[in-house]
Amino acid sequence: DHLKPSDRLDNEELNGMISGNIERLPEKERTVISLYYFNELTMKEIGRRLKLTESRVSQIHTKAVGRLRGKLRKQNYC
């Protein structure tokens, strides 16, 4: 690990803010984000699991990422 202690603290703080904001997303958006980034499923696999089209999963993902960016901007992290 080559990060300075101050950089490591910044990363931990940012990760905490992201996690907190993910928890506050609507359920379907939270599920898509979790399956995509943490379970590393493809949009197609998520669609099969949630009984949605791959296109709809992509739309939900885009909306969730936009919401997260907006929340982080308000918290001065983007």
Side-chain angles (χ1 to χ4, degrees):
D1 196 351
H2 296 88
L3 292 176
K4 296 182 292 187
S6 62
D7 290 340
R8 196 175 1 263
L9 186 62
D10 287 346
N11 284 345
E12 288 173 12
E13 186 179 345
L14 179 59
N15 286 339
M17 292 189 99
I18 291 170
S19 295
N21 283 312
I22 288 171
E23 290 172 13
R24 287 189 283 280
L25 288 173
E27 183 180 358
K28 197 169 281 189
E29 291 178 24
R30 187 173 57 243
T31 300
V32 168
I33 291 294
S34 177
L35 292 173
Y36 189 75
Y37 291 102
F38 301 109
N39 294 68
E40 299 181 359
L41 297 182
T42 65
M43 299 281 176
K44 185 177 267 187
E45 291 167 330
I46 295 168
R48 275 198 296 263
R49 187 174 282 195
L50 300 180
K51 296 181 177 22
L52 300 169
T53 64
E54 185 176 356
S55 174
R56 183 68 186 125
V57 171
S58 181
Q59 290 171 348
I60 293 167
H61 173 267
T62 298
K63 188 169 189 172
V65 169
R67 256 189 234 269
L68 289 171
R69 278 195 182 118
K71 289 176 189 273
L72 290 172
R73 271 195 197 100
K74 285 182 184 172
Q75 296 165 346
N76 296 316
Y77 269 89
C78 284

